[in-house]
Amino acid sequence: MAAAATTFPLIAGQSATRGAKAASAAIPDALLAWYDSSRRELPWRMAPGVAADPYKIWLSEVMLQQTTVKTVVPYWRKFVARWPTVADLAAADREAVLQEWAGLGYYSRARNLHACAQAVVAMHGSRLPSTTEELRLLPGIGAYTSAAIAAIAFGQPATPVDGNIERVMARLFAVDTPLPRAKSQLKALAETLTPDKRAGDYAQALMDLGATVCTPRKPSCLLCPIARHCQARALGIEAALPKRAAKAPKPTRTGTAFVALTEDGRVLLRSRPETGLLAGMLEVPSTDWLVAGAGVPPPLRHTVGQAPVTGNWWAVPGGIVHVFTHFRLELNVLRALVPARADLTLWARTADCRWVHRSALAGQALPTVMRKVIAHALQAAA
């Protein structure tokens, strides 16, 4: 295995593949030994050699997309307690699923999770399929998630590659190509190292390595079990990798949210459309979210004409800023105290509305941005 420790130049293509083949046994062996002694204790993770629960692995992998382990753990525990099997989740009301998901973000994951559970029950007898090919046919399961489930839950020699593993591969083989252009190259390199045995433990070892040792800033190379194989460390460039292409600035959208309160403590909410951003979630009524610069935003006194009910609307000082994946949202907030039986009949989307008492808001399927809006309005009312 001497060749595995040889220093390579910044590499791409065939030279990277040669380096990967040379290290294809030593790296997995070292990582698995490290994992056996240093792995993270996670509620969905079984001890080495113990079969995992495919449902719990699938649920964890969906929740972990774009979300940290620390954030996911309490949500995962709540889901498993409420819906302990895929059949239980499939039989759940979708709004209940969205309610439990509220605050976790990226809500299409929750909708796909529910649809996927129903598909597993209908097509696979309530058992998740074990191959990446079958898994990818299910709603919301892409290349990474299918590989993670196949490897971790079923021991298949699949290669999940998330952001942590991309970073490890970029440093291990000193890949100078910026992300996202380097994704296919890093995937190919990772595949050359995946062992036939203990593929699930190996995948989790790589995830743990990226999360705890080979971190984005100041990697702990002295603690790394595969440091002697790392070409970036040999070149002294580990902290500079992976390189990333410059991101275009996010556009800003603006709008006005209307928080209607009744004297008996209720708030007017409406359901968002079934497609698009935050589909099926609840919100306080608002104007359209327009791209800033597309036109002069109307004065607030004109915006009041789009309010869902007639009332003495006034602007809550300050505003709400929320950053989505692809844009930044700035909302003005208008508040009004309206009669308990306020007339909604003149409003176009009356059927989508409901009055919810303030004490019950915590249990509603409200996305984080709408919780910010309501908290802002209620704080001003206090």
Side-chain angles (χ1 to χ4, degrees), residues 128-140:
L128 278 160
S130 61
T131 67
T132 56
E133 293 78 13
E134 290 179 296
L135 286 163
R136 289 200 66 174
L137 296 175
L138 295 170

Side-chain angles (χ1 to χ4, degrees), residues 334-346:
L334 297 185
R335 176 182 169 271
L337 189 63
V338 301
R341 296 184 179 274
D343 183 12
L344 298 175
T345 57
L346 298 179

Side-chain angles (χ1 to χ4, degrees), residues 13-331:
Q14 292 182 351
S15 59
T17 302
R18 285 197 298 270
K21 288 181 178 178
S24 60
I27 289 174
D29 288 348
L31 273 172
L32 286 168
W34 173 79
Y35 179 75
D36 288 344
S37 63
S38 305
R39 67 190 183 93
R40 290 179 293 177
E41 295 297 328
L42 302 174
W44 51 82
R45 181 177 284 179
M46 304 303 292
V50 179
D53 183 332
Y55 168 66
K56 294 178 180 178
I57 296 300
W58 163 58
L59 181 60
S60 70
E61 289 299 334
V62 172
M63 287 185 168
L64 285 166
Q65 295 168 15
Q66 306 293 325
T67 311
T68 64
V69 168
K70 182 179 178 180
T71 300
V72 163
V73 167
Y75 281 90
W76 183 90
R77 291 188 189 279
K78 286 193 301 180
F79 264 74
V80 171
R82 186 166 183 179
W83 301 297
T85 69
V86 67
D88 294 323
L89 182 58
D93 180 75
R94 193 185 71 166
E95 184 166 336
V97 175
L98 289 172
Q99 287 173 352
E100 291 290 0
W101 194 276
L104 199 54
Y106 300 93
Y107 294 95
S108 61
R109 294 181 297 169
R111 296 190 296 275
N112 285 331
L113 188 77
H114 188 239
C116 185
Q118 293 180 327
V120 170
V121 170
M123 299 166 54
H124 299 283
S126 300
R127 297 175 65 88
L128 278 160
S130 61
T131 67
T132 56
E133 293 78 13
E134 290 179 296
L135 286 163
R136 289 200 66 174
L137 296 175
L138 295 170
I141 296 185
Y144 167 77
T145 307
S146 63
I149 297 170
I152 299 170
F154 298 104
Q156 300 290 326
T159 308
V161 179
D162 63 359
N164 281 327
I165 296 176
E166 285 179 342
R167 183 168 59 257
V168 171
M169 293 299 138
R171 290 169 175 170
L172 188 59
F173 297 105
V175 176
D176 195 41
T177 306
L179 288 167
R181 188 155 51 93
K183 282 183 175 290
S184 60
Q185 181 185 357
L186 297 175
K187 171 74 170 175
L189 288 167
E191 287 175 344
T192 66
L193 298 177
T194 300
D196 291 330
K197 296 181 179 180
R198 296 190 66 187
D201 288 342
Y202 172 72
Q204 292 176 102
L206 275 177
M207 295 172 190
D208 281 9
L209 188 75
T212 65
V213 176
C214 195
T215 50
R217 296 179 180 84
K218 297 182 179 179
S220 303
C221 296
L222 293 177
L223 301 177
C224 180
I226 55 174
R228 70 186 185 92
H229 302 286
C230 182
Q231 304 309 311
R233 182 171 185 254
L235 293 167
I237 59 171
E238 64 274 11
L241 297 179
K243 291 187 175 180
R244 296 184 181 274
K247 291 184 178 180
K250 292 183 179 182
T252 296
R253 297 184 185 180
T254 61
T256 299
F258 301 99
V259 180
L261 306 171
T262 64
E263 293 179 350
D264 60 353
R266 293 180 296 157
V267 180
L268 181 64
L269 302 179
R270 73 176 176 188
S271 299
R272 289 183 61 84
E274 288 298 312
T275 58
L277 182 68
L278 304 178
M281 302 292 288
L282 291 176
E283 65 175 356
V284 298
S286 69
T287 63
D288 291 337
W289 300 345
L290 302 176
V291 176
V296 179
L300 286 178
R301 64 179 181 276
H302 295 160
T303 304
V304 170
Q306 301 181 50
V309 294
T310 300
N312 183 23
W313 291 94
W314 58 275
V316 179
I320 292 298
V321 174
H322 189 79
V323 180
F324 290 95
T325 305
H326 301 297
F327 68 94
R328 168 189 168 96
L329 177 65
E330 297 178 357
L331 288 176

